Amino acid sequence: MNDYSLTSWVEVPPDSDFPIQNLPFGVFRYGQRGPSACSIIGDQIIDLVALHAEGLLPVPGVNRAVLEQPYLNDFIALGKSTANAVRAALTEVLKSEAGTSVRETVTKCLVPVQQAEMCLPVKVGDYTDFYSSKEHATNVGSMFRDPANALLPNWLHLPVGYHGRASSIVVSGTPVKRPYGQTMPEGATSPQYGPSRLLDFELEMGFIIGKPNQLGTQITTAEAEEHIFGLVLFNDWSARDIQKWEYVPLGPFLGKSFASTISPWIVMLEALDPFRVAGPVQTPGVLPYLQYEGKKNYDINLEVAIQTPTGAEVTVCRSNSKYLYWNMCQQLAHHTVNGCNMNVGDLCASGTISGPDPSSYGSMLELTWRGTKPIQMPDGSERKFLNDGDTVVLRGYALRHGVRIGFGEASGQVVA
């Protein structure tokens, strides 16, 4: 499925995120049917229920009951080998060599993406957000503390994280209501209540747990990829003024829990294998349980655009997941080193992914440097943070030898 020369009889636009080498999984709603499992090639959604009914998904354990669920959790629980067997079966019926009768049958199972509603792909039981970009942590530490000591003493020794709110994770396209809460404005002598005035995005990636571990057991860095089903784009919306007032001494709470947006497609790790790269050198060396072998970072281009209410769009950030200091395997090993049990459908996010130069900073907080360097918009306005009516769009893709493996979009409009 990583054959760069493989092509499909289904038309795939040159800039599509979804060639035959990708075949991610999602959940869609179409017409009067309830939500069910699907994949996508080009701009055509593949109805897995219909394909199974036609006898073209002969994979043990995969049946109508599993595919006709509102979430992918039961399908994911069948295991990565089963999911990849489904991808292999899809490849067989979609590749250019497929016969005429197969093509005619598959065509009946395709739905133009514009005619479908994409749904939240998994029921997220628990959600953890990490803080794994050294550039981001350094920028934030420089703004709020001494630049010479931007990183706290523990940062280079462990992947810092916190437990977030799973119930407010929403799928791309869901509006995000501006949160209310307590803030302490500059110069004020007592806290105030009202809407956040410093609403921000955070450019992140998330991984979905596909294999659980028992309470009291650990997942090693060598075992971690067995437990990671795939990746999504993730926008951890942040109310910076609420966050600043509340986060000492216990960390993020209301400034984060009002909404997080994920892309509707889960891209499996196996589709991303050709894009593995070495991560940053970790100095000082890490403790044995965080050591790993091989290439565990991924060369995935990431970008964020802001669309004004008039439809004008500007790309404000271009970054890459390869910059992450702490990789997914280390994050999961650290998460479970105390015996914490992970469940199928749990989601872990990377934390803001910032790069080495200002154009690659993954949040408005950094891009505008706390509002001191406003971003100019195409309509002549400027942004220090997000306005009502703004739509934030995250995009991501890996590209090699003309093959683009992407995630689609994770977008949300800010509403009052």
Side-chain angles (χ1 to χ4, degrees), residues 141-383:
S142 297
M143 276 185 249
F144 293 103
R145 293 187 298 275
D146 177 8
N149 297 288
L151 297 179
L152 291 173
N154 65 351
W155 200 92
L156 293 171
H157 295 277
L158 57 85
V160 174
Y162 75 96
H163 296 288
R165 184 72 185 176
S167 65
S168 54
I169 295 174
V170 296
V171 73
S172 178
T174 306
V176 173
K177 185 174 175 61
R178 182 177 294 271
Y180 279 62
Q182 285 192 29
T183 62
M184 180 69 85
E186 294 290 335
T189 57
S190 61
Q192 300 178 7
Y193 169 78
S196 170
R197 299 183 182 277
L198 306 181
L199 185 58
D200 201 354
F201 65 81
E202 289 192 342
L203 170 61
E204 307 192 20
M205 297 205 70
F207 63 86
I208 306 294
I209 297 297
K211 178 182 177 181
N213 66 298
Q214 295 297 315
L215 182 67
T217 66
Q218 301 176 359
I219 298 173
T220 67
T221 56
E223 297 166 339
E225 290 182 8
E226 300 174 21
H227 294 262
I228 298 173
F229 183 78
L231 306 185
V232 294
L233 298 176
F234 192 86
N235 180 359
D236 185 27
W237 301 86
S238 300
R240 299 297 185 188
D241 42 1
I242 296 174
Q243 180 185 4
K244 181 181 178 182
W245 173 235
E246 74 178 0
Y247 85 103
V248 177
L250 290 181
F253 185 39
L254 301 181
K256 298 279 193 175
S257 62
F258 59 96
S260 300
T261 299
I262 68 171
S263 52
W265 298 107
I266 305 175
V267 177
M268 294 195 67
L269 287 188
E270 287 74 10
L272 294 166
D273 271 342
F275 308 99
R276 291 177 180 268
V277 293
V281 175
Q282 295 181 329
T283 305
V286 299
L287 290 172
Y289 80 93
L290 289 171
Q291 295 171 6
Y292 64 94
E293 296 182 356
K295 297 177 180 179
K296 301 299 184 182
N297 281 41
Y298 293 87
D299 184 6
I300 301 173
N301 301 293
L302 302 169
E303 63 182 52
V304 182
I306 298 176
Q307 298 172 353
T308 68
T310 62
E313 177 178 313
V314 61
T315 299
V316 297
C317 162
R318 288 186 172 88
S319 189
N320 194 298
S321 66
K322 67 184 180 182
Y323 297 134
L324 284 172
Y325 188 87
W326 297 104
N327 62 57
M328 291 181 293
C329 295
Q330 292 177 308
Q331 291 166 7
L332 190 53
H334 184 65
H335 201 317
T336 61
V337 72
N338 67 344
C340 176
N341 56 318
M342 310 296 290
N343 295 310
V344 171
D346 285 355
L347 188 151
C348 295
S350 62
T352 304
I353 304 175
S354 293
D357 62 86
S359 67
S360 63
Y361 294 167
S363 67
M364 295 291 281
L365 178 69
E366 298 165 89
L367 290 166
T368 70
W369 209 256
R370 298 181 70 183
T372 62
K373 302 176 181 179
I375 295 173
Q376 300 302 311
M377 303 299 290
D379 60 5
S381 62
E382 63 180 25
R383 296 290 186 276

Side-chain angles (χ1 to χ4, degrees), residues 12-86:
V12 178
D15 59 348
S16 173
D17 283 345
F18 307 115
I20 195 171
Q21 290 85 356
N22 192 348
L23 301 176
F25 294 106
V27 172
F28 82 126
R29 193 192 307 270
Y30 174 63
Q32 301 302 310
R33 280 191 35 199
S36 61
C38 64
S39 186
I40 186 171
I41 184 166
D43 57 6
Q44 299 291 316
I45 289 176
I46 308 164
D47 184 343
L48 296 185
V49 172
L51 205 64
H52 180 270
E54 295 289 351
L56 294 179
L57 282 184
V59 178
V62 177
N63 54 48
R64 189 182 186 101
V66 169
L67 297 174
E68 257 186 345
Q69 295 291 324
Y71 302 104
L72 291 174
N73 296 52
D74 288 352
F75 174 74
I76 292 172
L78 295 175
K80 292 179 71 174
S81 60
T82 296
N84 279 310
V86 170

Side-chain angles (χ1 to χ4, degrees), residues 391-415:
T391 298
V392 177
V393 184
L394 275 59
R395 301 183 178 100
Y397 64 92
L399 181 65
R400 182 168 298 172
H401 301 306
V403 174
R404 174 181 171 127
I405 305 295
F407 294 80
E409 295 182 350
S411 68
Q413 183 178 42
V414 179
V415 297

